[in-house]
Amino acid sequence: MNIKGNTILITGGTSGIGLAFAEEFIKEGNQVIITGRRADRLEEISKRLPGIITKLSDVVDAAQRTELADWVKQNHPETNILINNAGVQLVVDLKTPLDLDRIAPEIETNFIAPVHLGSLFVPILGENANATIMNVTSGLAFVPIALMPIYCATKAAMHSFTLSLRYQLKDIGIKVFEIAPPSVDTELGHDRRADKSQSHGGIPVSEFIAGAMDAIRNDVYEATVGMSAGLREKREAVFESMNDRIKLI
Ligand SMILES: NC(=O)c1ccc[n+]([C@@H]2O[C@H](COP(=O)([O-])OP(=O)(O)OC[C@H]3O[C@@H](n4cnc5c(N)ncnc54)[C@H](OP(=O)(O)O)[C@@H]3O)[C@@H](O)[C@H]2O)c1
């Protein structure tokens, strides 16, 4: 697809993959809007990246999702790409009763929000050329890490949903990408690390973005970057061996 001259809304652009996509798309000559919950981060980014548009918005709140779509329609009707990127990841012990107040926002962020936002944005994107939705899933959509069972299930659900979305939207000319990152060194899972500067061993964000941009440029609609490709290919065949090896920081 043409990666220049678009107006792109990225959910969760205050750090990691969302922020790196924003920087890359600005460099390529696109207008970029990012969202997030951290007002201080949004302010710092708008000072550092002139031209970027920021919007405080929490994807967990359905009313804020509707307000975001209304705001985009009103202020940036030329928006033609939605990147559903915002995500959270929890370690969950399945041997004890679940704390639903903790789990529900993870499901809402990773699954319900991108499904709802997609539906709200279809009428906006559909008015413009090069209309596209990109859902950021994970290599863990194909092979789960048992310690993060809800996270992996939401990503598997997003993989399935993205197939259906792509199938339904092809008739109205909206392209649908799935971007499945491997382990990437971002703030994901920071809350469970004593030393927040500690890496979880993923690849550098710049390396991931280079692979993802290559796939986007070449219309690879299911973009499995790095080791995600191997996970997609082998699926459950590597589940036991992968989980036996995993030690989370
Ligand atoms: N890093 C990896 O190894 C990896 C691997 C596979 C897939 N992914 C996926 O990549 C995506 C980006 O994650 P990342 O690795 O870049 O992690 P990150 O650095 O923690 O970034 C997560 C982003 O999501 C935003 N976010 C979280 N909850 C939100 C909410 N309720 N409303 C709005 N924004 C929210 C955060 O912004 P605020 O905190 O400001 O709200 C932040 O900008 C996620 O979908 C993740 O599952 C990551």
Side-chain angles (χ1 to χ4, degrees):
M1 63 173 275
N2 187 355
I3 59 156
K4 294 182 191 302
N6 304 289
T7 298
I8 304 170
L9 182 123
I10 305 174
T11 65
T14 53
S15 59
I17 288 170
L19 178 57
F21 264 136
E23 290 170 337
E24 188 65 23
F25 277 118
I26 285 174
K27 228 189 288 164
E28 291 287 348
N30 300 278
Q31 175 163 247
V32 176
I33 307 163
I34 57 166
T35 74
R37 296 162 300 177
R38 288 173 288 181
D40 54 337
R41 284 283 183 105
L42 291 171
E43 200 184 327
E44 180 270 311
I45 293 164
S46 65
K47 279 188 194 139
R48 188 167 57 79
L49 294 176
I52 199 164
I53 298 158
T54 62
K55 172 87 172 117
L56 193 64
S57 181
D58 183 347
V59 297
V60 166
D61 182 346
Q64 290 193 42
R65 297 194 294 261
T66 303
E67 196 271 327
L68 175 65
D70 290 345
W71 176 84
V72 166
K73 194 172 174 189
Q74 195 70 36
N75 297 285
H76 302 285
E78 72 284 9
T79 300
N80 65 328
I81 299 180
L82 167 68
I83 305 185
N84 276 313
N85 166 75
V88 290
Q89 184 186 72
L90 300 177
V91 168
V92 176
D93 180 356
L94 298 176
K95 297 182 290 299
T96 56
L98 288 181
D99 174 0
L100 284 184
D101 288 343
R102 179 168 176 259
I103 300 310
E106 184 183 29
I107 300 171
E108 187 92 23
T109 306
N110 295 356
F111 182 63
I112 297 171
V115 168
H116 186 208
L117 279 170
S119 73
L120 294 170
F121 272 74
V122 160
I124 303 171
L125 307 177
E127 289 294 312
N128 300 307
N130 211 17
T132 303
I133 295 176
M134 296 186 197
N135 290 331
V136 178
T137 63
S138 171
L140 302 180
F142 309 113
V143 188
I145 291 180
L147 279 168
M148 306 181 306
I150 312 290
Y151 174 82
C152 297
T154 61
K155 294 298 182 178
M158 276 308 292
H159 167 67
S160 166
F161 174 77
T162 303
L163 292 171
S164 300
L165 185 68
R166 182 178 303 126
Y167 193 86
Q168 283 205 23
L169 298 192
K170 73 179 175 200
D171 290 345
I172 56 169
I174 299 182
K175 294 177 183 179
V176 178
F177 285 79
E178 174 179 359
I179 314 287
S183 179
V184 183
D185 190 15
T186 65
E187 293 179 18
L188 200 70
H190 254 194
D191 43 342
R192 60 175 178 260
R193 282 175 238 164
D195 175 359
K196 306 283 182 236
S197 66
Q198 203 175 0
S199 158
H200 64 27
I203 63 171
V205 188
S206 55
E207 188 180 330
F208 163 73
I209 290 293
M213 292 303 288
D214 209 35
I216 292 166
R217 240 185 239 109
N218 291 298
D219 281 341
V220 178
Y221 293 114
E222 203 167 293
T224 47
V225 180
M227 68 176 248
S228 289
L231 293 180
R232 190 191 184 297
E233 213 173 284
K234 294 178 191 131
R235 292 191 176 249
E236 283 83 354
V238 296
F239 175 77
E240 293 277 347
S241 58
M242 185 178 95
N243 276 281
D244 287 349
R245 267 187 288 117
I246 278 168
K247 263 210 239 123
L248 280 188
I249 294 167

